[in-house]
Amino acid sequence: DVKVTQSSRYLVKRTGEKVFLECVQDMDHENMFWYRQDPGLGLRLIYFSYDVKMKEKGDIPEGYSVSREKKERFSLILESASTNQTSMYLCASFYRGSLGEQYFGPGTRLTVT
Amino acid sequence: SQKIEQNSEALNIQEGKTATLTCNYTNYSPAYLQWYRQDPGRGPVFLLLIRENEKEKRKERLKVTFDTTLKQSLFHITASQPADSATYLCALGGDYKLSFGAGTTVTVRA
């Protein structure tokens, strides 16, 4: 079974802090994604990566950056956390040869105070 | 701009009945459509995928239809069970990115 793990389930940070969220998948998937999920808004794509060191902006990249130094690991960075970044963050991956069914991690609920 | 709309109201049904969820979209020509299940506090889990040239797909008690003319997908859970209670998300794709709807929460009463 594909496994996608995220570094924390719950995280509380202060405004202005730099925040690192890490995602690891164990199935050699090329494509990895970071979403945030807010009530009534669904999942919104922040950034995605289709290969090591490759990244592309999603729909809401402002205030975020990403890093993909190894194929299995995709990190999301909040350079200076703000209260409007309080959200559920979900990482996902999928195999390039598939039709795109994504495998999700359990999510990180981030609260910025 | 692209828009994906799912049932705005939560769905409450009696065990054994069929739940029908809708997913409507505009300004989009997806190559395929996917449905996911999400339990509270967890990440979504992939259920079914249907291609643009397919009308219907089934998997056990689940059935999905896809009408590209109406720009609509229907998701049916037949013989529903309390364990089917969850939020169901539709997602449209055409390349390696997906666009998700906000989801419909289904509660099945015993």
Side-chain angles (χ1 to χ4, degrees):
Chain A
D1 275 353
V2 176
K3 192 154 186 191
V4 180
T5 57
Q6 295 184 225
S7 49
S8 305
R9 291 300 307 274
Y10 301 93
L11 211 51
V12 180
K13 295 291 181 181
R14 293 194 180 277
T15 302
E17 278 193 83
K18 192 168 187 174
V19 182
F20 294 87
L21 302 181
E22 199 159 69
C23 174
V24 178
Q25 50 93 4
D26 66 356
M27 283 301 291
D28 206 35
H29 287 175
E30 297 87 356
N31 299 290
M32 297 188 74
F33 303 80
W34 275 107
Y35 297 90
R36 65 177 282 177
Q37 186 175 31
D38 301 288
L41 295 179
L43 276 76
R44 292 181 291 167
L45 181 63
I46 305 171
Y47 266 96
F48 64 99
S49 169
Y50 49 89
D51 207 342
V52 176
K53 295 194 187 293
M54 306 303 286
K55 60 186 179 185
E56 284 199 28
K57 293 179 181 178
D59 301 318
I60 50 164
E62 297 78 19
Y64 304 94
S65 62
V66 290
S67 171
R68 189 150 181 218
E69 297 296 318
K70 293 186 177 182
K71 192 174 186 180
E72 68 271 18
R73 196 177 298 265
F74 191 33
S75 300
L76 179 70
I77 302 143
L78 286 66
E79 297 291 342
S80 177
S82 63
T83 54
N84 63 12
Q85 293 179 308
T86 291
S87 186
M88 169 72 96
Y89 289 88
L90 289 157
C91 173
S93 73
F94 81 87
Y95 168 59
R96 187 174 292 158
S98 72
L99 273 178
E101 48 266 44
Q102 297 191 6
Y103 295 85
F104 283 84
T108 295
R109 185 160 295 283
L110 172 67
T111 302
V112 183
T113 61
Chain B
S1 62
Q2 297 169 358
K3 200 170 181 183
I4 302 168
E5 288 186 332
Q6 298 189 237
N7 302 56
S8 56
E9 301 290 327
L11 208 56
N12 289 286
I13 61 168
Q14 187 73 37
E15 183 176 9
K17 301 292 187 185
T18 296
T20 298
L21 286 64
T22 61
C23 177
N24 296 295
Y25 59 93
T26 55
N27 298 323
Y28 208 124
S29 296
Y32 54 84
L33 188 146
Q34 302 180 15
W35 284 89
Y36 289 78
R37 170 186 172 135
Q38 186 174 23
D39 292 293
R42 296 182 173 270
V45 175
F46 172 78
L47 294 174
L48 276 169
L49 179 151
I50 185 165
R51 294 179 176 83
E52 61 177 338
N53 60 351
E54 296 175 316
K55 296 291 185 189
E56 184 179 297
K57 206 82 170 277
R58 290 175 187 259
K59 179 182 175 183
E60 297 172 354
R61 294 182 295 106
L62 306 179
K63 185 178 90 170
V64 174
T65 63
F66 193 11
D67 188 326
T68 54
T69 302
L70 289 179
K71 294 187 182 295
Q72 180 182 77
S73 174
L74 298 179
F75 178 81
H76 306 272
I77 307 171
T78 58
S80 60
Q81 305 167 359
D84 296 325
S85 298
T87 297
Y88 293 86
L89 311 174
C90 73
L92 278 60
D95 47 28
Y96 43 82
K97 288 192 293 179
L98 291 177
S99 296
F100 285 85
T104 299
T105 299
V106 175
T107 302
V108 182
R109 304 186 308 273

